[in-house]
Amino acid sequence: MGMIVIVVGDSLGCPRSWVGVDLASTYSFQLNRLLGPDAFVANYSVGDNSTDRAVKEPFLRTFVRNSSASYAIIQLGIVDCAPRLLSPVERAIGLVASRVPGLRALFDQYIKVKSRYRYQLTRVFPKTLVPIDRFESNYRRLVLEILESNPVEKVFAINIAYPGEILRKKSYNILANIQKYNAGIARLAAAFPGRLEVVDLFAQCAHKPDWVTQDDGHHIHKPAHDWIAAEIAHRINVGLCAEIIPMFRVGAAESTDNAKVPSEA
């Protein structure tokens, strides 16, 4: 088998056909096409994924360790850093309530009331699913698991996209949260020079707000997928050329040296 690329991501890497992102439009599918028929891009993105989930032993054992990957892509963070409307206890109550018809309707009303005052509640109770310190620790562990158990040339870290207007309006301080967690990703890239590279989706979406979906303010449209695929394919191909060109130069030098050796015939 040729080049293997693994993707560990959240719902931003998944198809969303209702906003024009079908399977063939996802950056993983497009990257596979750009890298050619000998490449295989395994997309392990899943909705509501966080760094907490990505470093759980079953996932690491099944999808990350010894995957024979040459490259890896990580796109995690928005689930970790977005202000949470419900506490872990409330989510547990909601899980129980969802199985009891009468309680489910009551809990749904409770959610509607809280959602109506989401901005105010996330301002007073600024809870995140994964605190920044644990986020960086999880991310570091995931990078190390990828690098130490595979012949990986490089890991690409797609940072968190610039939030759309609706997300900025309904979630207090979301932009600052995203910038803080993206700074954590940048620190990790500095700690793994040449092995972990940031793909700056945040900067692209800040200048191209129409790349972000209007309905929730954090998913991405097809042009963003197009850019991610092209950017990563370019970096991989540049890296491959950097490896191949010196080989050609060595071969050419040897040929020249051989040509200078006088024949003894």
Side-chain angles (χ1 to χ4, degrees):
M1 184 178 289
M3 180 194 305
I4 295 175
V5 182
I6 61 170
V7 181
V8 180
D10 51 32
S11 57
L12 274 78
C14 298
R16 294 175 65 82
S17 57
W18 58 96
V19 294
V21 181
D22 57 14
L23 177 62
S25 299
T26 59
Y27 65 79
S28 57
F29 193 100
Q30 293 192 64
L31 179 62
N32 209 144
R33 177 176 53 80
L34 291 170
L35 294 177
D38 291 334
F40 177 71
V41 180
N43 185 7
Y44 300 132
S45 297
V46 62
D48 206 32
N49 203 9
S50 67
T51 58
D52 273 354
R53 290 177 61 181
V55 295
K56 288 189 180 299
E57 181 60 25
F59 180 82
L60 294 174
R61 183 175 61 242
T62 305
F63 300 110
V64 173
R65 294 190 191 124
N66 303 313
S67 63
S68 300
S70 301
Y71 295 90
I73 300 167
I74 301 173
Q75 186 177 26
L76 297 169
I78 187 61
V79 176
D80 299 63
C81 79
R84 298 281 114 180
L85 192 59
L86 299 179
S87 69
V89 172
E90 288 173 311
R91 287 197 294 273
I93 293 172
L95 181 62
V96 174
S98 67
R99 299 171 182 173
V100 182
L103 289 178
R104 181 169 56 194
L106 186 62
F107 193 78
D108 286 346
Q109 286 300 117
Y110 175 73
I111 294 296
K112 286 181 181 179
V113 171
K114 292 202 76 171
S115 297
R116 191 179 307 157
Y117 300 100
R118 182 185 186 95
Y119 187 87
Q120 294 86 343
L121 288 171
T122 54
R123 181 175 184 174
V124 176
F125 306 105
K127 301 182 293 287
T128 57
L129 183 66
V130 182
I132 182 63
D133 291 345
R134 194 165 84 228
F135 171 77
E136 288 191 50
S137 176
N138 288 343
Y139 213 106
R140 178 184 291 273
R141 182 184 173 192
L142 180 58
V143 171
L144 286 172
E145 289 278 1
I146 291 169
L147 292 176
E148 293 177 355
S149 62
N150 299 285
V152 167
E153 295 286 332
K154 193 165 292 185
V155 179
F156 298 101
I158 303 172
N159 63 10
I160 308 166
Y162 188 90
E165 182 180 7
I166 190 169
L167 186 58
R168 298 197 307 272
K169 284 184 175 180
K170 73 179 185 180
S171 292
Y172 176 74
N173 217 32
I174 183 62
L175 178 56
N177 275 19
I178 288 174
Q179 290 173 317
K180 180 166 64 174
Y181 282 62
N182 278 347
I185 295 173
R187 283 192 292 272
L188 288 168
F192 293 91
R195 306 301 305 280
L196 179 64
E197 284 187 5
V198 174
V199 178
D200 198 353
L201 181 62
F202 178 90
Q204 293 293 320
C205 291
H207 294 293
K208 302 176 180 70
D210 57 327
W211 281 15
V212 178
T213 55
Q214 294 183 359
D215 61 335
D216 60 25
H218 72 271
H219 285 96
I220 52 176
H221 284 298
K222 184 178 180 298
H225 284 269
D226 297 344
W227 176 80
I228 292 170
E231 178 68 15
I232 293 177
H234 171 72
R235 295 193 196 185
I236 289 175
N237 287 329
V238 166
L240 292 175
C241 288
E243 293 176 5
I244 293 170
I245 289 173
M247 293 171 59
F248 279 117
R249 287 175 178 167
V250 169
E254 289 176 350
S255 298
T256 303
D257 290 342
N258 290 337
K260 292 178 181 178
V261 176
S263 173
E264 294 183 1

